[in-house]
Amino acid sequence: MMTSAPLSPQQLGALLDILVHHETYAEVQTFKHPDAIEQYGYPFQTSAETESGSENRKSSSPLLQLLLIRLVLPIPGIRDLPSEFWATKFRSIMRRFGEAELSESYDKGTLGSRKRLASAASVIHEGVTRGLLSGIPNHKLPDLHGLYDLRKADDLARAWDDVVQHLVYGDLLSELFDHFTRTPNLEGHSPAVEAAVNFVIIYIATFLHHLFVLSAEGPYLLKLIDNVHGLVPYTVIGQTLRVGNAGTMINAMVRLFLAKLSIGAVSNWLGFTQNATDGMNLMQRIISLVLEWDCSEFRKAIDSIKRSKDRPDDSHLVAIDEHLQASREQHESVRELSIKERRSIVVAILETKDKCLAESLTDSQHIQCLEYYSAQLAIMDREKITEALCRQTPDLTTSIVRDGISVFEPMIRAIHKNVDLRKHVGSVESFLTDLIATSKPKKRDGAQTPNGTAAPSVEDYVALLKRNRQLAYDYLHEFAKGCPDLRTMWLDWAQDSLKFFRQKTETTDDPAAKEGNVVSCGAGDMDKHLQILFSGLTTEKQNILKTAIDAHARYLSTLEDMSRARIQSIVNGVDELGNKKTSCNMSGPGVYITRWHCLLDETIVTPNTPRGPPRKGKDVKGVKALGKTEAIAKSETWDPDDLTRKEEQTRPEAPDVSIVIDALGPQFRSLVADISGKGLPLK
């Protein structure tokens, strides 16, 4: 077959980014269905399935499996979990969530908390997995004691790259573990580490800012954290940790959070019943209470709709209620009809029941029906989550937590003996209190609000992390100094994990790419594999795909340049934070942040008019679900929609790379499944 010229390193890097980005989120989305965990493969296969020797061992979620096998399963403690934990307990609880059929963003008309958090986790996961596949380029180890200007973005980024080189190919990790045995001052190791820490703080602050400020769900998520924070018995935990005997302390903590006292629990224990509902323990009670408080707000929103003057007819609401109780197949059928026929989900529901119902609906009643449906879905979601975690028998949640405590008990004993955990529980409490306070509106000079407040800035979160980083350093110092055996165990795991990021092939640098800030090191260990996949296409197809790949490479380059400029702006702004200016940054660095928003932007959402094309996620990112609005006081929030639109105006539009995904996506999944399968244990 005649082929065009092979892909350049820059094109290979862009191609890998496209394919990993799509495949990662596609795998995450499959877990909406209960069969996803059944087709995952190891470690969720039962002994019988493993012994049967299925002819196809490839996982349906190869990127997730790759991450789990290489980095998660070898973690000390987790590696000691019995196979039953994964193949029975964890698998069963994942299946429960799949069977629960939690609501879709399309139906709710907005991007909910699950959508935002799942897409954020997917983007972080894709970054790690891309590193596992391609490897970190192996360059000459730089001098960590060189000159790094903490006020220059270029030096912060260079310090991070230098530190990563030493972590993967040098002995920096061992040096840092030893450093913590001597002092809680991490930055004192070297100028490069100090600059790299500042670089990481800016990225974490940007993520927190997007999660709690720019996201319409931010104030709601913060309210959830505040509610849980208020329910956790920190004082009782602290008193329990004062018990000198570690075994007694662990048992006391387990009883505090996991013990159940109910007639069902007693009858099960005595053998009079089997799997009778045995009530909830404190941990489950906290989960159910927080979710029930949520439900009460949504019920208030529903009652408000029912009391409104121009409310929908009872027949409209009854039809929606009946649809809520329908099967998964019926829900999917109506959703597909709504998309295909370009009509709202409510109109599709009503027309499926009786066409006359939809025709009698006014525009204002249609909006109220959408809000009613969204609020009812929110209530059902929370009830199903509570059911899966707290009420269903057997109680998998408590069993999973008990198994986790059991395997980590030797570590807990050693830490309890050598580290004052009470102080560090207090540190967690104080950090969460500070996080909640930081995420409240700030007094700013010239703020465009009646009370003179403005949303928190990225600099506010940078200051939060800098104020509290010593809390983490103090714990790591006491751990490293007082628990040498555990320190060695975790060091071994970390070093073994970092070896997976080493490239097995020589880096293919592109001299032409070094003139600008672009993807220059290709796809590393994936170069050959991607070239083979690409060469399997016709010459005509290759040329078409190259156009899209080049556009994506330029897009990534632009994002890198923009990210570097934002770091510099934040570095400058942190020093001026005390001036209470309104010019604080509402945008932070990170290609991953933009890729996160791309996933949200591409989500399709029901039209808000009776008939019309589906909306995109970017049209509703600043819209809160009805019920969540009522849960947040007006004085405690801001307009995330306005902030998001201003932030989006500064971002380049992502090119359409669907043609690349259609042409190479299936082959790439098969390729990654082969790579992941090589790390599976032998039968």
Side-chain angles (χ1 to χ4, degrees):
M1 179 187 298
M2 292 183 61
T3 61
S4 61
L7 295 173
S8 68
Q10 182 180 349
Q11 291 171 326
L12 287 167
L15 177 58
L16 181 64
D17 183 86
I18 293 170
L19 295 175
V20 171
H21 179 72
H22 170 264
E23 174 63 21
T24 305
Y25 194 57
E27 291 178 14
V28 170
Q29 287 184 305
T30 63
F31 286 91
K32 296 183 292 187
H33 302 279
D35 290 340
I37 194 67
E38 307 292 334
Q39 300 167 5
Y40 190 103
Y42 182 84
F44 302 111
Q45 289 174 323
T46 62
S47 300
E49 289 171 335
T50 303
E51 292 172 2
S52 67
S54 173
E55 70 279 359
N56 183 10
R57 298 181 68 213
K58 288 186 179 181
S59 171
S60 63
S61 305
L63 287 180
L64 289 169
Q65 187 186 56
L66 182 71
L67 180 70
L68 190 66
I69 291 173
R70 293 192 177 181
L71 301 185
V72 179
L73 293 183
I75 292 176
I78 290 181
R79 65 192 179 199
D80 299 321
L81 287 166
S83 59
E84 177 195 8
F85 175 88
W86 302 105
T88 302
K89 297 178 181 179
F90 197 90
R91 173 178 175 171
S92 297
I93 204 164
M94 289 295 293
R95 185 171 181 84
R96 279 184 186 178
F97 279 110
E99 292 171 342
E101 194 198 354
L102 301 177
S103 61
E104 297 274 351
S105 295
Y106 183 88
D107 293 6
K108 291 192 295 187
T110 185
L111 303 176
S113 303
R114 281 185 294 109
K115 179 63 136 182
R116 296 174 190 269
L117 293 175
S119 53
S122 174
V123 171
I124 294 172
H125 164 44
E126 81 171 74
V128 176
T129 308
R130 193 165 54 246
L132 289 173
L133 290 172
S134 65
I136 303 297
N138 185 5
H139 300 302
K140 180 181 178 181
L141 292 179
D143 179 13
L144 298 181
H145 294 274
L147 181 62
Y148 297 89
D149 191 336
L150 300 182
R151 294 185 52 79
K152 290 184 178 179
D154 288 343
D155 280 15
L156 296 183
R158 178 169 60 88
W160 170 249
D161 290 338
D162 293 349
V163 164
V164 169
Q165 280 287 311
H166 275 269
L167 286 172
V168 176
Y169 293 104
D171 296 321
L172 178 59
L173 191 63
S174 180
E175 292 177 17
L176 291 177
F177 271 68
D178 291 339
H179 181 75
F180 266 123
T181 63
R182 299 188 297 270
T183 174
N185 178 19
L186 174 60
E187 288 86 347
H189 176 274
S190 62
V193 169
E194 181 181 10
V197 167
N198 285 326
F199 181 82
V200 171
I201 283 176
I202 291 174
Y203 269 74
I204 296 175
T206 298
F207 177 78
L208 293 175
H209 183 262
H210 272 73
L211 192 62
F212 294 120
V213 178
L214 294 185
S215 168
E217 300 284 312
Y220 165 75
L221 287 173
L222 194 69
K223 190 72 174 178
L224 277 184
I225 293 174
D226 198 5
N227 288 339
V228 174
H229 184 50
L231 288 172
V232 174
Y234 291 105
T235 302
V236 177
I237 293 173
Q239 291 173 345
T240 305
L241 290 173
R242 295 179 64 183
V243 177
N245 183 278
T248 305
M249 182 275 296
I250 294 171
N251 290 332
M253 292 292 289
V254 169
R255 285 199 300 270
L256 173 64
F257 280 97
L258 302 183
K260 297 185 178 185
L261 293 175
S262 68
I263 294 176
V266 173
S267 65
N268 283 339
W269 181 71
L270 292 174
F272 296 149
T273 59
Q274 289 185 341
N275 293 332
T277 302
D278 52 359
M280 300 184 197
N281 51 45
L282 176 60
M283 177 188 69
Q284 292 170 320
R285 183 66 63 185
I286 291 173
I287 294 171
S288 63
L289 276 176
V290 171
L291 294 177
E292 178 55 35
W293 288 344
D294 253 7
C295 288
S296 66
E297 297 296 338
F298 288 106
R299 292 190 183 101
K300 291 177 185 177
I302 289 173
D303 290 340
S304 177
I305 292 173
K306 291 181 175 180
R307 291 194 304 267
S308 65
K309 187 175 182 180
D310 185 27
R311 52 158 291 182
D313 190 74
D314 285 342
S315 59
H316 296 137
L317 302 183
V318 168
I320 293 173
D321 289 339
E322 290 178 353
H323 176 75
L324 286 165
Q325 302 303 321
S327 65
R328 180 193 290 265
E329 291 72 21
Q330 179 68 12
H331 293 159
E332 293 175 349
S333 174
V334 172
R335 191 178 303 120
E336 290 171 6
L337 179 66
S338 170
I339 297 171
K340 181 179 178 181
E341 300 294 334
R342 297 165 69 91
R343 63 187 70 171
S344 81
I345 188 68
V346 163
V347 170
I349 291 170
L350 298 179
E351 288 187 346
T352 302
K353 181 73 174 177
D354 184 349
K355 288 193 175 183
C356 295
L357 289 176
E359 294 172 358
S360 64
L361 205 63
T362 66
D363 288 345
S364 63
Q365 289 174 338
H366 174 261
I367 293 296
Q368 291 182 79
C369 280
L370 285 173
E371 294 174 341
Y372 178 85
Y373 185 44
S374 176
Q376 289 284 28
L377 286 171
I379 293 172
M380 288 186 66
D381 284 347
R382 284 149 183 78
E383 290 176 343
K384 289 175 179 177
I385 292 172
T386 301
E387 183 72 17
L389 292 177
C390 307
R391 294 197 175 98
Q392 285 190 16
T393 54
D395 183 0
L396 295 173
T397 306
T398 300
S399 180
I400 286 172
V401 173
R402 286 187 184 277
D403 284 350
I405 292 173
S406 176
V407 296
F408 282 102
E409 182 173 341
M411 294 188 213
I412 297 173
R413 287 176 178 271
I415 295 172
H416 177 264
K417 179 180 178 181
N418 299 289
V419 178
D420 182 8
L421 291 175
R422 288 175 297 165
K423 179 178 73 174
H424 300 297
V425 169
S427 297
V428 173
E429 182 181 13
S430 66
F431 172 73
L432 289 175
T433 301
D434 200 358
L435 170 65
I436 293 167
T438 299
S439 301
K440 298 293 178 69
K442 307 296 178 187
K443 287 285 185 180
R444 305 282 195 210
D445 295 339
Q448 303 296 315
T449 56
N451 55 5
T453 62
S457 65
V458 178
E459 289 91 334
D460 287 315
Y461 286 96
V462 170
L464 164 74
L465 295 174
K466 287 188 173 182
R467 282 195 305 272
N468 290 277
R469 60 181 165 180
Q470 194 58 47
L471 300 177
Y473 294 169
D474 289 342
Y475 170 76
L476 291 173
H477 170 58
E478 293 185 23
F479 170 81
K481 182 179 179 181
C483 308
D485 292 340
L486 293 184
R487 182 182 72 238
T488 301
M489 181 191 302
W490 283 95
L491 174 60
D492 290 342
W493 166 77
Q495 289 177 326
D496 290 341
S497 297
L498 286 174
K499 289 177 183 177
F500 287 117
F501 292 92
R502 293 180 179 177
Q503 284 189 352
K504 302 177 184 64
T505 56
E506 293 185 4
T507 301
T508 54
D509 289 328
D510 184 359
K514 293 182 179 179
E515 297 178 2
N517 186 21
V518 297
V519 180
S520 61
C521 59
D525 289 341
M526 294 296 290
D527 281 353
K528 181 180 178 181
H529 298 295
L530 294 181
Q531 291 281 19
I532 292 173
L533 290 184
F534 189 76
S535 64
L537 304 173
T538 64
T539 303
E540 180 182 4
K541 194 73 170 179
Q542 289 179 11
N543 291 332
I544 295 173
L545 261 61
K546 276 187 176 181
T547 301
I549 293 171
D550 286 339
H552 190 73
R554 291 192 295 271
Y555 169 70
L556 292 177
S557 175
T558 302
L559 291 181
E560 289 286 359
D561 291 338
M562 183 182 70
S563 181
R564 193 67 56 86
R566 288 181 173 182
I567 293 175
Q568 188 61 61
S569 179
I570 292 169
V571 169
N572 297 338
V574 168
D575 293 336
E576 302 175 358
L577 190 60
N579 297 336
K580 295 186 178 181
K581 294 183 178 181
T582 58
S583 58
C584 294
N585 286 280
M586 290 294 154
S587 301
V591 174
Y592 78 98
I593 288 289
T594 304
R595 307 294 276 147
W596 176 18
H597 280 277
C598 285
L599 290 176
L600 297 176
D601 292 346
E602 293 164 1
T603 305
I604 60 171
V605 177
T606 181
N608 59 353
T609 56
R611 302 188 185 278
R615 292 173 291 172
K616 291 286 189 177
K618 62 182 178 182
D619 301 320
V620 299
K621 276 198 298 191
V623 179
K624 297 188 188 75
L626 190 67
K628 293 182 179 180
T629 308
E630 285 73 9
I632 310 297
K634 295 284 186 182
S635 61
E636 295 181 6
T637 188
W638 45 87
D639 184 4
D641 192 30
D642 180 58
L643 294 177
T644 299
R645 293 190 183 282
K646 289 179 180 178
E647 200 269 343
E648 285 180 345
Q649 290 175 0
T650 64
R651 289 205 308 263
E653 185 174 352
D656 182 6
V657 293
S658 57
I659 188 173
V660 179
I661 296 167
D662 293 340
L664 296 176
Q667 300 95 306
F668 180 74
R669 168 175 285 201
S670 179
L671 169 63
V672 177
D674 289 335
I675 295 172
S676 177
K678 292 178 181 177
L680 297 180
L682 298 175
K683 295 181 184 178

